[in-house]
Amino acid sequence: PQWPDDYMTPTMADEVFSILRRLGCHSVHIGGGEPLLKPDKILDVLKMAEKNNIDIEYIETNASWYRNEATTKTVLRELKDHGVHTLLISIDPYHNEYIPFWKVKALIKACSKVRMNVFPWLMEFWDDIDAMDDRKPHSLDEYALVYGEDYLAQLPNRYGLGLKGRALKTYKPMMGKQSFQRILEESRPCRLLAGVYHFHVDLYGNFIPQSCPGFAIPLKELQYGADSDKYRIFHSLESVGIAGFADLVIKEYGYKPKAEYAGRCDLCYDMRNYLVLELGLDLPDLKPEGHYKYV
Ligand code: SF4
């Protein structure tokens, strides 16, 4: 809720889709935030996809925008008119912390009425969530009370959740600790940072790596190969790993390591938070700032 009320502009969407198309990408999925919070804005983005011959595989939604069947059906029909035929609908306890399950059920029903395909993510949580009162959201603590303490510890694996950002903050107290020295000894390049099998582009046109939010390189620069001198943090992690990043932050920015961390990603976040929040630095690869401020 504290994030700026921004949305991808049609100009940015046009730029991103035209680059993707030039690089050989023919289809994308659209995620958020919540892309359907502003239905008129998503239509502008979809027009740009159509203009650049990019297919939309699906739009991800958490159903929070559902108000009633009539307005929802209108939105769904407009999406279909703009080439969207599938919605990925979030079904999991993490979203149920904020969104009552009746909205998810009602959205699925509306989709079926207008023949919009539904890609439920994930059906295996349906019974767990449906056993609770669907008129209100439920905290993870409530899930632990109903299904036992282990339930929360098992959720990341069941959901396929990478422990970064808010997930790392939630699970950190349950994670084992490693010494700073041990983490450095086990350092290896974070190759997924440069992976293109699955990545995202944010509303500002930045490439977001598959596995690690809080890093960004503008797609319009990346298409020609990112400058390793400009994106030094990204480069140190991708080429050397956490040891390379630690070396840079300690020597050049005066970071003082703690004795232990909940693994290398916890150390990585601690150093990134130090740079962005404590030193207030505006570093080109550590974006968006909100990822650090509002997690
Ligand atoms: S150490 Fe940093 S860059 Fe590497 S996987 Fe963890 S969060 Fe991502």
Side-chain angles (χ1 to χ4, degrees), residues 164 190 193 211-212 215 237 242 264-265 268-269 272:
K164 316 279 164 58
C190 299
L193 283 179
S211 56
C212 302
F215 292 103
L237 283 160
I242 195 71
R264 70 171 173 156
C265 298
C268 184
Y269 262 96
R272 288 193 267 151

Side-chain angles (χ1 to χ4, degrees), residues 271-285:
M271 295 192 289
R272 288 193 267 151
N273 282 331
Y274 169 75
L275 295 171
V276 177
L277 301 179
E278 275 188 61
L279 300 188
L281 298 175
D282 182 18
L283 296 164
D285 32 13

Side-chain angles (χ1 to χ4, degrees), residues 166-292:
R166 191 159 66 88
L168 176 62
K169 197 170 172 186
T170 303
Y171 282 98
K172 202 165 139 175
M174 302 175 213
M175 292 163 70
K177 296 280 184 291
Q178 267 188 306
S179 72
F180 173 70
Q181 212 46 49
R182 182 74 189 268
I183 293 171
L184 293 199
E185 280 161 20
E186 293 180 358
S187 174
R188 60 186 186 280
C190 299
R191 293 287 187 218
L192 277 180
L193 283 179
V196 291
Y197 155 71
H198 183 173
F199 63 92
H200 293 104
V201 178
D202 73 10
L203 68 166
Y204 308 111
N206 294 313
F207 166 88
I208 308 284
Q210 170 187 357
S211 56
C212 302
F215 292 103
I217 298 181
L219 198 60
K220 64 180 177 205
E221 289 182 43
L222 197 59
Q223 63 178 321
Y224 303 112
D227 179 350
S228 54
D229 289 333
K230 179 172 177 187
Y231 300 102
R232 296 171 70 209
I233 294 167
F234 195 100
H235 180 64
S236 68
L237 283 160
E238 200 275 328
S239 60
V240 179
I242 195 71
F245 181 26
D247 190 53
L248 178 74
V249 186
I250 291 168
K251 285 189 182 145
E252 297 195 23
Y253 298 99
Y255 175 76
K256 303 257 181 298
K258 297 171 187 157
E260 53 181 25
Y261 299 85
R264 70 171 173 156
C265 298
D266 183 29
L267 168 59
C268 184
Y269 262 96
D270 201 61
M271 295 192 289
R272 288 193 267 151
N273 282 331
Y274 169 75
L275 295 171
V276 177
L277 301 179
E278 275 188 61
L279 300 188
L281 298 175
D282 182 18
L283 296 164
D285 32 13
L286 298 189
K287 300 267 185 234
E289 197 189 358
H291 179 77
Y292 299 95

Side-chain angles (χ1 to χ4, degrees), residues 36 61-69 72-73 76 85-92 99-126 129-130:
L36 298 180
T61 180
N62 57 30
S64 59
W65 53 282
Y66 186 96
R67 296 286 173 269
N68 58 60
E69 188 176 291
T72 301
K73 278 161 63 178
L76 295 176
H85 298 285
T86 305
L87 292 192
L88 179 154
I89 301 182
S90 301
I91 300 170
D92 60 81
I99 299 151
F101 202 42
W102 73 265
K103 290 197 175 209
V104 174
K105 293 183 196 167
L107 177 58
I108 291 174
K109 197 167 152 199
C111 284
S112 124
K113 288 198 174 164
V114 301
R115 296 182 185 279
M116 172 71 82
N117 299 320
V118 171
F119 176 5
W121 189 260
L122 288 158
M123 272 314 281
E124 74 157 85
F125 290 117
W126 184 282
I129 304 169
D130 203 29

Side-chain angles (χ1 to χ4, degrees), residues 8-10 12-21 25-30 40-57 59 77-85:
M8 183 177 267
T9 63
M12 180 54 75
D14 192 19
E15 179 184 304
V16 168
F17 287 135
S18 70
I19 294 172
L20 291 177
R21 182 72 201 191
C25 171
H26 299 263
S27 62
V28 300
H29 63 266
I30 296 179
D40 51 325
K41 302 227 180 229
I42 190 76
L43 296 184
D44 289 340
V45 170
L46 294 174
K47 281 176 200 156
M48 291 303 145
E50 207 174 349
K51 178 185 163 198
N52 288 283
N53 269 326
I54 297 275
D55 289 337
I56 305 297
E57 291 171 354
I59 294 181
R77 287 196 185 102
E78 279 184 308
L79 293 176
K80 285 184 77 175
D81 289 345
H82 287 77
V84 177
H85 298 285

